[in-house]
Amino acid sequence: MTTDRIASYVAENAARFLDELTALVSIPSISTLPEHREDVRRAAEFLVAELQGTLGMSTVELIETAGHPLVYAEWINLPDKPTVLIYGHYDVQPVDPLELWLSPPFEPVIKGDDLFARGAVDDKGPMFATLKAIQSLIHTEGTLPVNIRLLIEGEEESGGKSVEAFVSAHAEHLRADCALVLDTAMVAKGVPTISYGLRGMAYAEIVARGAEHDLHSGVYGGIGPNPLQALAWVLADLKGRDGRINLPGLYEMMQPLSDEERAALARQSELQEKELLSAAGFREMSGESGFCVAERASARPTFEVHGIIGGFTGEGAKTVIPAEAKAKVSLRLVPGQNPAVVLALLSKRVQELTSPGITLEVRPLHVGDPVLLGLDSPVLKTAARALEQEFGHEVAFLREGGSIPVVALFDQLLKVPVVLIGFSLPDDNIHAPNEKFHIPNYYAAIRVVAGFLKRLGAKAEAE
Ligand SMILES: [Zn+2]
C-alpha cells in the first residue's frame, strides 16, 4: 500500500531529513530585528534551493516584498485533481532572554527525542515537513496526488503585512480547493489535533512622556511628572486583578459561544490545564473567573504587557525621573472583535487615563483578524482520517489561542476551507527559551501530510 511506501521512504531518509531541518534552524531568521535582515533572506534562499531540487516543481520563486521575501512554488499538472495551497513561515521569534537557553538558540542540539533550536517547532519544523511530504510522494510515486501551491512567508512573527498584500493582490492566481497550514498545537502528545479557530491580534506600544529631559529626583521628586509611574497606573487600570479587561465595548463585540462549544471546551479543559501547568512550571492559573481554562486560553480576549522600557536599569542606584517610558502590549481577540476598532478603543481609554504633566500616545504595531472555520467541511474529515491513521487516536478539535493573520484572508478572500493541523506540544516552549520540536512529530507530520494529499487525490478520483 502507498502509505507503507511513504512510511518506508521516510524511515530510510529519516537521518537526512533531520540533517536538512537542522541546517534550516541554524539560520537566525528573526524577522522583527533589522540586524537579521540578511539571515531572513538566507532562510528564504535555503527554501528556494530546496524546492528547486524537488523534481517536477514548475515554478519556484523568491518574491521580493516591501519587507522580507516570500517563497512561492507550484506543482500544477493534474487538471482533474484538486489544488491545495500550503502555507508556512520561515521566520522566527527573537531569542531573549538569551541567558535562559541551555544551548545557543541557533546551534541546534538533539536531546533524547527533541530538537532544540529557535524556530524548531514554530514553524520551521512543521513547515519543512510539508516540503518533505511532497518530496517523499514524488520519489515514491513519481507524481503528486493533487496540485500544489506552496506559499511560505518570512514575517509571520512580525505582523505578516507582505503576505497579506500578496494574497490580496493575487487572489485569483492563488486559486485552490483548500489550504493546509501546519502552525498550531496538539492538545497533548499522541492526541492528533485540528484547530478550527484562531484568535486575532492588536499589538501596540504605549508611550508616556513627561519633562523634556530626565529629571533629578532630589529636585523634582514629588513635583515632576514620572512617565514610568503614569504608565504603571495606565496598565493597572487596563486590566483588573479579576482578569477583566477595562476597555469599554470590548466584550460587547464578542460573538457568543454556543452551548455546545462551551461544553466541548469544558471537556478538554482539565487535560489542557494539566499540560500547560506542567509545561511552564507554575502552580496556579490566573485570569478571569467564571470561565474554564480552555475557554480562557482560546475563546476569551486577552490583554498582556510584553515589556516596559524606561528609566535607569543598570547596576547600583541612580535617582533619575525619566522623561519617557514605553510599554509593549497586545490584545488577543476573538471572533466579532475587529482589531482596528479595538486599537481605537485602547487609544481612547489610554487618553482618559492620563495624569498631570504626562502625554500618552498609542502607536499601533500590528493587527490580525480572528477567524472561526467551519467544522463541517469534507476536507477537514479527510484530514482527520489521515491523522487517525497516523496516531491511532481520535482527533481533538480545538480553538487555538494564537494568531496566524493570513488564515483569515484565506478564509474570507480566497474562500477556501482551511485545515490547521497541529504538531507542537504544550512543552515545546514556543516563543520562549529552549524551544524544541518533538522529532517523532516531524516524521508524523511528513506522513500525515502525504496521507492527507493522497486521500484528497483518491477522493477526487472516486467522485
Ligand atoms: Zn508560527
Side-chain angles (χ1 to χ4, degrees):
M1 210 186 128
T2 326
T3 34
D4 295 336
R5 283 216 299 275
I6 293 287
S8 317
Y9 185 81
V10 173
E12 283 157 21
N13 291 278
R16 174 171 66 85
F17 285 178
L18 189 56
D19 286 348
E20 290 164 350
L21 175 59
T22 303
L24 177 61
V25 292
S26 305
I27 306 172
S29 49
I30 306 170
S31 57
T32 203
L33 300 178
E35 62 267 35
H36 284 284
R37 196 170 180 80
E38 282 310 305
D39 297 318
V40 178
R41 170 169 295 268
R42 212 144 48 81
E45 283 165 354
F46 180 102
L47 293 171
V48 166
E50 180 73 31
L51 286 160
Q52 277 167 343
T54 303
L55 278 175
M57 282 295 181
S58 53
T59 307
V60 178
E61 282 178 85
L62 184 135
I63 299 170
E64 301 294 349
T65 70
H68 298 296
L70 294 165
V71 175
Y72 180 76
E74 273 180 7
W75 189 99
I76 308 278
N77 291 315
L78 306 169
D80 301 330
K81 293 296 172 78
T83 299
V84 180
L85 171 63
I86 300 177
Y87 161 87
H89 66 92
Y90 66 81
D91 63 321
V92 304
Q93 282 273 319
V95 296
D96 53 290
L98 191 57
E99 65 278 12
L100 295 184
W101 285 79
L102 299 173
S103 55
F106 296 107
E107 290 170 29
V109 291
I110 294 168
K111 277 185 230 157
D113 270 342
D114 295 312
L115 172 68
F116 285 85
R118 170 57 89 226
V121 74
D122 183 16
D123 174 40
K124 284 176 174 168
M127 174 274 289
F128 203 57
T130 64
L131 267 65
K132 296 292 125 185
I134 290 168
Q135 290 173 350
S136 300
L137 282 164
I138 290 176
H139 276 273
T140 51
E141 323 253 302
T143 182
L144 289 179
V146 291
N147 302 297
I148 296 288
R149 300 185 199 281
L150 206 74
L151 178 62
I152 311 170
E153 71 157 313
E155 296 173 20
E156 198 275 342
E157 305 291 7
S158 55
K161 279 206 180 83
S162 297
V163 78
E164 288 188 33
F166 181 79
V167 172
S168 303
H170 298 90
E172 180 58 22
H173 184 79
L174 291 171
R175 215 172 40 245
D177 298 279
C178 76
L180 174 66
V181 180
L182 270 60
D183 192 19
T184 51
M186 294 173 85
V187 176
K189 193 187 283 182
V191 182
T193 308
I194 291 178
S195 293
Y196 66 94
L198 293 166
R199 284 194 289 203
M201 160 72 81
Y203 200 116
E205 203 169 66
I206 304 176
V207 186
R209 285 192 201 85
E212 267 170 22
H213 49 79
D214 289 1
L215 304 174
H216 186 310
S217 75
V219 181
Y220 284 97
I223 52 173
N226 187 324
L228 271 171
Q229 180 65 61
L231 201 54
W233 282 328
V234 169
L235 296 174
D237 193 278
L238 283 171
K239 187 163 85 177
R241 289 189 182 222
D242 57 0
R244 290 284 292 183
I245 305 162
N246 297 316
L247 212 52
L250 181 76
Y251 292 106
E252 287 75 4
M253 294 159 74
M254 288 173 68
Q255 229 174 70
L257 213 57
S258 71
D259 292 345
E260 271 169 337
E261 240 195 311
R262 181 161 288 129
L265 285 169
R267 276 197 301 279
Q268 76 198 21
S269 193
E270 207 178 314
L271 174 63
Q272 214 175 339
E273 178 168 3
K274 203 175 108 228
E275 290 285 328
L276 290 171
L277 277 178
S278 78
F282 60 98
R283 288 205 192 88
E284 201 185 334
M285 292 287 181
S286 69
E288 280 177 289
S289 59
F291 302 95
C292 71
V293 165
E295 186 168 348
R296 300 210 299 273
S298 64
R300 301 286 301 167
T302 68
F303 175 83
E304 295 295 342
V305 182
H306 305 296
I308 298 177
I309 310 154
F312 176 68
T313 56
E315 291 281 322
K318 183 187 176 198
T319 54
V320 63
I321 298 176
E324 186 181 274
K326 281 186 218 170
K328 306 252 185 195
V329 302
S330 81
L331 292 109
R332 298 267 174 186
L333 305 172
V334 300
Q337 295 175 322
N338 176 307
V341 175
V342 169
L343 281 175
L345 291 179
L346 178 69
S347 195
K348 181 168 174 280
R349 183 72 191 131
V350 165
Q351 295 308 331
E352 288 166 1
L353 296 172
T354 193
S355 40
I358 295 288
T359 57
L360 292 164
E361 184 194 350
V362 172
R363 290 184 190 150
L365 288 182
H366 71 248
V367 293
D369 282 318
V371 58
L372 201 57
L373 304 165
L375 271 170
D376 47 2
S377 85
V379 288
L380 225 57
K381 296 194 176 87
T382 307
R385 255 174 264 134
L387 276 164
E388 276 158 6
Q389 179 176 1
E390 170 67 29
F391 288 94
H393 190 292
E394 201 188 335
V395 171
F397 289 90
L398 188 76
R399 271 206 198 202
E400 166 115 352
S403 317
I404 312 172
V406 77
V407 170
L409 218 53
F410 289 166
D411 179 50
Q412 288 148 25
L413 189 72
L414 302 185
K415 299 196 187 328
V416 290
V418 187
V419 182
L420 302 167
I421 305 180
F423 286 97
S424 77
L425 297 177
D427 67 350
D428 276 350
N429 299 319
I430 287 180
H431 293 196
N434 307 307
E435 176 178 348
K436 67 175 183 67
F437 189 21
H438 187 57
I439 298 164
N441 276 358
Y442 178 39
Y443 301 124
I446 299 170
R447 290 187 296 263
V448 165
V449 172
F452 171 58
L453 299 178
K454 278 299 295 182
R455 281 167 190 271
L456 280 181
K459 234 176 114 218
E461 210 145 274
E463 273 161 11

